[in-house]
Amino acid sequence: MPENNKNSHYNEEQIRILKGLEPVRLRPGMYIGDTSMRGLHKLVDEVIDNSIDEALAGFCDTIIVKLHKDGSVSVKDNGRGIPVGINKEVGKSTLEVILTHLHAGGKFGGENSAYKYSGGLHGVGVSVVNALSEWLVAEVYLDGNIYQQKFARGIPQGDIKIIGTTDDNGTYIAFKPDNTIFQNTTFDPKVLLERCRELAFLNKGLKIIFEDEIHDRREEFFYEGGIASFVSFLNTGKTPLHEDIIYFSAEKDEVIVEVAMQYTDEYSEISYSFVNNINTSEGGTHLTGFRSALTKTINDYSRKVGLIKENEDNLTGDDVREGLTSVVSIKLQNPQFEGQTKGRLGNAEVRGIVDTICTERLSIFFEENPSAARIIVEKALAALRAREAARKARELTRRKNALEVGTLPGKLADCSRKDSEGTEIYIVEGDSAGGTAKQSRNREFQAILPLRGKILNVEKHGEDKILGNEEIKAMIRAFGTGYGDTFDISNSRYERIVIMTDADVDGAHIRTLLLTFFYRYMRPLIEEGRVFAAQPPLYKIEERRDRADKWLKYAWSDEELEKYKAEFEEAGKTYYIQRYKGLGEMDADQLRETTMDPKTRVMVRLTLEDAEEADRIFTTLMGEEVEPRRAFIEEHALEVTDLDV
């Protein structure tokens, strides 16, 4: 053993007992997943979950979520209000106990529990928010009084007190995240708005209001149709194959199962699943039960009516889900999630319950709606035929070495580093910009793959057509991961994939097409945070004189441009401004400095939420339905500040 080992002694003096909320501040990732933007927004989810629990219990019908100008967030509901009486166990107000103790709340009382169905069953939500906030203010409207208590980084700043009177009932929580904990404490209003909309869909008859004071925006969400309205929203701009949305709700063994679904003429599946209003993005036993029932029921019906012959193979799960948009929402008393972030449901008994209910209700629908049932089955049979054609196409192309990793596309300018660590491949719009990018790159770790024009819209074509697209084949060969069912991220030749397009309408279109392809056929790339969008500047502002030390600035927004103009004018310098409409307008040095050099560039990591939003907007603008496109343009026309024509 080395003599200089300072930790060679292990005794009672090295044992530390963490008190109160100390464990949360010491290891925040254990409670909210991470301290990135995802963890930041998890704080808001935890507070809203408490208000939603009041709605599930039948005591709340309105929730107001507000993003304040100082960057803080507040959530107010008209529920029963958190109890404020003295808790006999600790001799403090119940409000303080709930906000300062882990595993304290009204969800652990068994038959006497305040909540039958709850999203926050771990009981650490609001106390974790308190621990990770620079400050938190809690107000309770109860018995005609307004009770208030303030906290700083989880520590009470005085006792609970009455600050006024009111006729309302409910709870108000306002907080500002601690910038010593989180990498970034600026909330994304789009994420908050989407969550409010989602929760309104999931809770029929609940009104959720989102107010954004920073951007002076207010949205009110209220859906009497519940998740059926959710499916209708998701299918905006798509062409349904049957008019009515399939919807049913049933309860078995104290598990409430609610399903809404509709088929469209698209080729991909859109699937959302929830447990007690929590988005189980990784699925779980409830989603498995639904998919099993769907596959079994469609095959049984197809054989019964003779659409599948006795000697023919059954349809697969992929076949019956092609073009399906579905929302599966269940409520149960004791959900078992995998991890505190609750991404996947683990209750084994739920699969059988959901399977039984869905099989029964889908069978009834098919029997009572034979024309819609036939359309659905024919869609699945068409998917089967396309799958077989794609399999034959894959075999053919593999025989020709078209998709083999060893056969890299000729236009790829590969990097010299042999292992993938630290490497990145730029997907560049056009051969001209690709040529400039090749001059700008660091050859050791940056590869360049230029694309000619727009890639195929994968939403509108089957796999057999997709494999015939040269640009898509070039990406598959360059990445080395395969695609779809054969995708293996461990074979990736690059650590990062960077989409680099012009800062105009066409560039945004190409970026959306690429992101849609990754989302549908290489989703783990997005899930693991490997896909980025390069952010070329919009403007160059340069001093009007020919000297080596002349002022030169790049601006990525109109606001930034105005700031630099003011600086130039204050210094008495004359200047000129160049508006970059495309990557081709930059020389190699400018492109390197602004967009490709890791020390000075600006890049944005693309997330699943970005991909889903891109998919929705793309479908609206490029779909066959005219009315959704017209409504979208009318709603957002005034937001356009720079349109290239």
Side-chain angles (χ1 to χ4, degrees), residues 47 79 83 103 118 167 210 226 321 325 377 397 496 519 534 578 610:
V47 180
H103 309 290
S118 170
D167 294 330
F210 175 66
R321 295 196 303 272
T325 300
V377 173
T397 53
R496 287 180 293 273
Y519 179 60
Q578 180 180 357
D610 294 321

Side-chain angles (χ1 to χ4, degrees), residues 286-505:
H286 55 322
L287 187 59
T288 302
F290 165 70
R291 288 178 168 176
S292 173
L294 180 68
T295 305
K296 177 173 57 180
T297 304
I298 290 180
N299 274 303
D300 288 348
Y301 180 82
S302 300
R303 290 192 180 280
K304 180 179 178 180
V305 299
L307 291 174
I308 298 179
K309 307 303 180 184
E310 185 175 341
N311 61 339
E312 293 178 330
D313 292 336
N314 274 341
L315 297 161
T316 68
D318 288 337
D319 296 333
V320 303
R321 295 196 303 272
E322 184 177 285
L324 173 65
T325 300
S326 65
V327 177
V328 178
S329 177
I330 74 166
K331 294 180 175 66
L332 71 161
Q333 293 186 26
N334 295 297
Q336 298 169 9
F337 297 100
E338 295 185 1
Q340 170 62 17
T341 54
K342 308 169 186 175
R344 182 179 180 84
L345 183 68
N347 296 64
E349 73 280 6
V350 169
R351 174 176 178 171
I353 293 171
V354 175
D355 191 327
T356 299
I357 289 174
C358 291
T359 297
E360 176 185 330
R361 295 307 179 94
L362 287 171
S363 297
I364 293 172
F365 175 83
F366 288 150
E367 292 294 338
E368 293 180 349
N369 300 272
S371 59
R374 178 174 286 272
I375 290 171
I376 291 170
V377 173
E378 288 175 348
K379 169 73 170 174
L381 290 170
L384 183 150
R385 290 190 290 270
R387 178 166 55 83
E388 285 298 307
R391 180 183 60 79
K392 293 175 181 177
R394 280 198 300 270
E395 290 177 355
L396 179 61
T397 53
R398 280 170 183 158
R399 282 196 295 271
K400 295 180 177 179
N401 289 326
L403 296 180
E404 293 296 327
V405 176
T407 310
L408 296 174
K411 57 186 176 180
L412 171 68
D414 207 0
C415 56
S416 59
R417 189 176 296 177
K418 298 304 180 186
D419 61 283
S420 64
E421 184 177 357
T423 61
E424 48 196 36
I425 180 171
Y426 277 77
I427 309 300
V428 184
E429 173 189 352
D431 288 335
S432 175
T436 306
K438 290 175 184 177
Q439 298 175 48
S440 306
R441 67 178 175 138
N442 184 318
R443 294 174 180 270
E444 180 192 354
F445 64 90
Q446 291 178 323
I448 307 295
L449 181 64
L451 297 182
R452 291 189 181 92
K454 299 178 176 68
I455 71 165
L456 193 70
N457 175 10
V458 299
E459 295 287 340
K460 295 295 182 183
H461 299 278
E463 191 178 346
D464 51 336
K465 294 285 181 65
I466 292 169
L467 282 178
N469 182 265
E470 292 300 324
E471 307 305 306
I472 289 179
K473 285 199 294 186
M475 285 189 290
I476 294 172
R477 289 156 56 192
F479 297 170
T481 57
Y483 68 97
D485 293 339
T486 66
F487 182 89
D488 185 353
I489 200 166
S490 66
N491 291 331
S492 178
R493 301 182 64 248
Y494 307 99
E495 189 173 80
R496 287 180 293 273
I497 294 169
V498 184
I499 301 172
M500 188 161 71
T501 60
D502 291 343
D504 60 9
V505 174

Side-chain angles (χ1 to χ4, degrees), residues 34 66 83 129-130 202 218 227 305 359 389 401 427 519 537 562:
D34 56 45
K66 187 177 293 187
V129 175
N130 193 17
L202 292 168
R218 185 181 189 275
I227 63 171
V305 299
T359 297
N401 289 326
I427 309 300
Y519 179 60
E562 292 302 317

Side-chain angles (χ1 to χ4, degrees), residues 183-201:
Q183 302 167 21
N184 184 345
T185 57
T186 302
F187 289 101
D188 185 342
K190 183 179 71 173
V191 173
L192 298 180
L193 183 144
E194 290 293 330
R195 180 58 174 158
C196 290
R197 177 192 282 125
E198 184 178 81
L199 287 168
F201 279 131

Side-chain angles (χ1 to χ4, degrees), residues 210-272:
F210 175 66
E211 296 181 9
D212 178 1
E213 290 185 345
I214 297 174
H215 301 94
D216 192 25
R217 181 178 183 181
R218 185 181 189 275
E219 296 279 352
E220 188 172 306
F221 303 108
F222 178 83
Y223 302 103
E224 291 186 347
I227 63 171
S229 299
F230 196 177
V231 169
S232 179
F233 170 76
L234 293 171
N235 282 344
T236 300
K238 303 180 190 293
T239 304
L241 294 183
H242 49 97
E243 182 177 353
D244 294 332
I245 292 172
I246 304 170
Y247 171 82
F248 53 85
S249 176
E251 182 174 354
K252 178 179 173 62
D253 298 337
E254 295 192 311
V255 177
I256 298 174
V257 178
E258 195 177 7
V259 174
M261 53 184 281
Q262 186 182 43
Y263 283 87
T264 71
D265 64 354
E266 304 290 319
Y267 288 89
S268 54
E269 175 193 10
I270 299 175
S271 172
Y272 285 84

